[in-house]
Amino acid sequence: MNRHLTVGLAAVAAVFASPASASDDPADLTLIEAAEAIATQKLSSSALVNALIAKTGDDPGNVFITFESEGALTAAAAADESIVSGDKVGPLHGVPIVVKDNIASAGLPTTGGTPALKSWIPAEDAPVLAKLREAGAILIGKTNLHELAFGITSNNAAFGAVANAYDPARFAGGSSGGTGAAIGARLAPAGLGTDTGGSVRIPAALNGVAGLRPTVGRYPAGGIIPISATRDTAGPLARTIADLALLDAVITGASDEVAPLDLGTVRLGVPSGLTENLSPETERLFKAALAELEKSGVTLVEVDISAELELAGKAGFPIALWEVKRDLAAFLEASGSGLTLEDVAAEVASPDVKFVFENLVLGDQAIPDEVYAAAVTDLRPLVQSGYAEVFAANGLDALVFPTTPLAAQAISGSDMTVSLNGEDVPTFQTFIRNTDPGSIAGIPGLSLPIGLTAAGLPVGLELDGPAFSDRHLLALGLAVEKALPKTQAPE
């Protein structure tokens, strides 16, 4: 693991008073709390960075691929000086964040979680990261992920499996598992992941945090190691919906205020295909959340999206598996890495990802051009129009369903199958079952925590909204978050 852990004693000194928080630990601050404490000189950026360094320790959960403490401390000292000097600062000034290691970061390795790229150091930040740095954010680390973002466990054979924030024996979800686990474990207040079929929302749900998959095209896509131009998007993760709304505004330039909706005016669609065959504890928490929402005035409407789910099931994999061959090859050529798609595939370490590239991308089971063309040209538009019609015909603000059918499972033995209601089922297909259809439609999806199972594991609730309703969806999320009990932090 490439780690930079030099901590100078001079940089350790806090220059301001203790943070304005119910907790004495600066690591417990949310993004907005940290930004406000730094801006009002109640906490120094240096003190916060050092608190996170101390909490991370030697990173036993393999959350980070690169932990940039030295650079973060230097940036924090400069941020503190700006505050003392009275300089104008941005909304994220001095706040440390983490970024998934498939998002380019200037001067630091961007590995994609795969051996072939471990020495690739981009000259420029990806635009989505540049936006956050321009607002004053400090990059404290690049987070581990499912290799090349091709999976949902983050059991990475090259850099180690990422441990869940609530139980180190269980997986963190993926593919943005490092970002989800870092935020859930209070190693950072916020960060970025990427989402092709659930890779922001799944780790958000499994680590007890919030995550937003924006409408495809709202966030800049440059500088991100791709799977599918049609389906990929970066997305923020944080511990509150308000934090997500701030990150979304910084990235997109949105100037509208996001305030909680009046739940008495809200209509949510409950799709049967995404709310059946759940684990008992997921079902219990989901039903309890729906009951609380109804008590708060929400109108729940049963809706049928079975046709859209069937079409999405036929379109999703052909699009991703065909486009990765085109899009990843083009990215590697333009990146200056000196690598080809074949070079990268030859060094893939994780068995599940190796199988995909050897057989389904470069091998004799690769998607034929005509199958891809039908999926992207014929099937996907039908999924999109079908979703739009369901929202419009029922007057819905969003669909509501569990983010995943079950909570995080054991790292050991879960790469291929997990047990759901007494049956061995495929891990990947089971955990993307609820998140993938909206991804194929390109609509925004928001996951937020709704409680812990009897075993102390988080469960997530997903809200999917119409295309480009992202800010409205965040306003809905604020209201839903307020109406539901607060999920307990990991011990």
Side-chain angles (χ1 to χ4, degrees), residues 144-226:
N144 201 353
L145 64 152
H146 205 106
E147 190 166 356
L148 287 168
F150 251 97
I152 62 83
T153 63
S154 295
N155 294 346
N156 188 311
F159 294 94
V162 181
N164 188 279
Y166 283 71
D167 183 347
R170 296 180 185 255
F171 59 62
S175 58
S176 309
T179 298
I183 298 165
R186 277 49 179 174
L187 307 182
L192 289 177
T194 63
D195 192 310
T196 302
S199 289
V200 162
R201 293 158 290 160
I202 292 169
L206 300 190
N207 291 281
V209 302
L212 171 68
R213 174 193 164 91
T215 300
V216 170
R218 282 187 77 240
Y219 286 15
I224 300 174
I225 299 171

Side-chain angles (χ1 to χ4, degrees), residues 273-307:
L274 303 182
T275 57
E276 298 169 344
N277 195 23
L278 308 172
S279 73
E281 284 294 276
T282 299
E283 183 172 23
R284 175 182 68 81
L285 290 166
F286 176 61
K287 287 183 175 179
L290 292 188
E292 287 297 322
L293 292 176
E294 279 196 300
K295 280 200 293 186
S296 299
V298 171
T299 299
L300 299 177
V301 183
E302 292 187 10
V303 295
D304 181 7
I305 61 168
S306 56

Side-chain angles (χ1 to χ4, degrees), residues 3-332:
R3 298 173 59 81
H4 307 279
L5 292 170
T6 304
V7 183
L9 290 177
V12 175
V15 297
F16 304 125
S18 59
S21 171
S23 168
D24 291 332
D25 187 352
D28 288 334
L29 295 172
T30 68
L31 179 77
I32 289 175
E33 288 172 344
E36 290 179 346
I38 291 167
T40 57
Q41 301 188 22
K42 295 175 180 176
L43 173 72
S44 70
S45 177
S46 297
L48 178 54
V49 168
N50 274 287
L52 298 178
I53 291 170
K55 197 170 183 70
T56 300
D58 62 359
D59 189 21
N62 293 311
V63 168
F64 292 102
I65 291 178
T66 298
F67 189 56
E68 178 59 3
S69 60
E70 184 175 355
L73 285 168
T74 300
D80 292 335
E81 179 59 33
S82 294
I83 292 288
V84 172
S85 300
D87 297 340
K88 183 178 180 181
V89 299
L92 303 179
H93 184 79
V95 182
I97 61 165
V98 295
V99 173
K100 186 178 181 179
D101 203 29
N102 62 346
I103 300 173
S105 51
L108 290 176
T110 298
T111 71
T114 200
L117 285 166
K118 65 181 181 295
S119 299
W120 179 50
I121 300 178
E124 297 180 345
D125 286 337
V128 69
L129 172 57
K131 294 277 189 183
L132 300 183
R133 293 225 229 208
E134 288 165 8
I138 293 171
L139 180 61
I140 196 170
K142 302 295 294 296
T143 52
N144 201 353
L145 64 152
H146 205 106
E147 190 166 356
L148 287 168
F150 251 97
I152 62 83
T153 63
S154 295
N155 294 346
N156 188 311
F159 294 94
V162 181
N164 188 279
Y166 283 71
D167 183 347
R170 296 180 185 255
F171 59 62
S175 58
S176 309
T179 298
I183 298 165
R186 277 49 179 174
L187 307 182
L192 289 177
T194 63
D195 192 310
T196 302
S199 289
V200 162
R201 293 158 290 160
I202 292 169
L206 300 190
N207 291 281
V209 302
L212 171 68
R213 174 193 164 91
T215 300
V216 170
R218 282 187 77 240
Y219 286 15
I224 300 174
I225 299 171
I227 292 177
S228 163
T230 298
R231 299 186 52 180
D232 291 349
T233 180
L237 295 93
R239 291 199 293 276
T240 70
I241 304 299
D243 288 350
L244 292 183
L246 174 58
L247 292 166
D248 182 76
V250 168
I251 292 168
T252 65
S255 58
D256 57 314
E257 181 181 352
V258 174
L261 298 183
D262 175 0
L263 289 179
T265 69
V266 167
R267 291 171 61 87
L268 298 179
V270 184
S272 59
L274 303 182
T275 57
E276 298 169 344
N277 195 23
L278 308 172
S279 73
E281 284 294 276
T282 299
E283 183 172 23
R284 175 182 68 81
L285 290 166
F286 176 61
K287 287 183 175 179
L290 292 188
E292 287 297 322
L293 292 176
E294 279 196 300
K295 280 200 293 186
S296 299
V298 171
T299 299
L300 299 177
V301 183
E302 292 187 10
V303 295
D304 181 7
I305 61 168
S306 56
E308 289 70 37
L309 297 180
E310 182 178 357
L311 289 167
K314 294 177 179 177
F317 284 112
I319 292 173
L321 292 171
W322 191 94
E323 289 191 348
V324 71
K325 186 174 181 179
R326 177 196 68 191
D327 296 345
L328 182 52
F331 179 89
L332 292 168

Side-chain angles (χ1 to χ4, degrees), residues 360-376:
L360 306 180
V361 177
L362 298 174
D364 57 8
Q365 298 177 57
I367 302 298
D369 293 351
E370 61 272 18
V371 173
Y372 165 71
V376 77

